Amino acid sequence: MNGQVTMVEDDGEELEGGMDKGFIALDGALNIYRAADVKALLQDELTRCTVLEVDLAGVTEIDSAGVQVLILAKLMARDENRELRLVHHSDPVKDVFQRLALERWFGDGLPTPH
């Protein structure tokens, strides 16, 4: 497996209702070979946190399986009244989101093309 999934706890910020804000940094390829592991990690953290921030700066490659995992996590968060924030999008992530016109759907601060 290329790259790794790094999970870093937030600085202990407690949100309303006693739930925590979580933070995960993804590193390396977000592809078919890692999709199941990343999916399980995101689902576990979303059950624990009210807000989960996922740093994508270290993502060096993303394929359709990686995109599907992020979509699933975003839908899961919405269904459970939680928030998934994708931050620090790497160039490969930006490129795929723009090609698939997903910037607006994810709504995480990526500029949308004119």
Side-chain angles (χ1 to χ4, degrees), residues 8-114:
V8 180
E9 295 277 337
D10 195 79
D11 61 358
E13 179 182 354
E14 191 169 298
L15 302 172
E16 185 178 330
M19 298 296 283
D20 290 325
K21 176 181 174 186
F23 179 82
I24 296 173
L26 298 179
D27 185 45
L30 180 51
N31 58 22
I32 187 71
Y33 303 107
R34 298 182 62 213
D37 292 337
V38 173
K39 175 185 168 189
L41 175 66
L42 292 174
Q43 287 177 322
D44 287 347
E45 283 300 295
L46 279 169
T47 60
R48 187 186 71 77
C49 302
T50 301
V51 175
L52 178 60
E53 194 168 272
V54 180
D55 188 330
L56 301 173
V59 175
T60 57
E61 165 190 337
I62 184 169
D63 67 7
S64 60
V67 171
Q68 288 175 39
V69 167
L70 296 177
I71 289 171
L72 177 68
K74 193 74 161 183
L75 292 172
M76 180 184 172
R78 287 180 186 171
D79 289 347
E80 297 182 8
N81 294 319
R82 296 173 186 275
E83 186 177 355
L84 178 76
R85 297 178 188 160
L86 304 179
V87 299
H88 306 125
H89 304 68
S90 67
D91 287 340
V93 173
K94 288 178 190 174
D95 182 52
V96 168
F97 278 20
Q98 288 170 352
R99 287 177 188 263
L100 299 175
L102 290 172
E103 310 97 325
R104 190 169 296 153
W105 188 86
F106 275 103
D108 291 304
L110 271 179
T112 55
H114 302 298

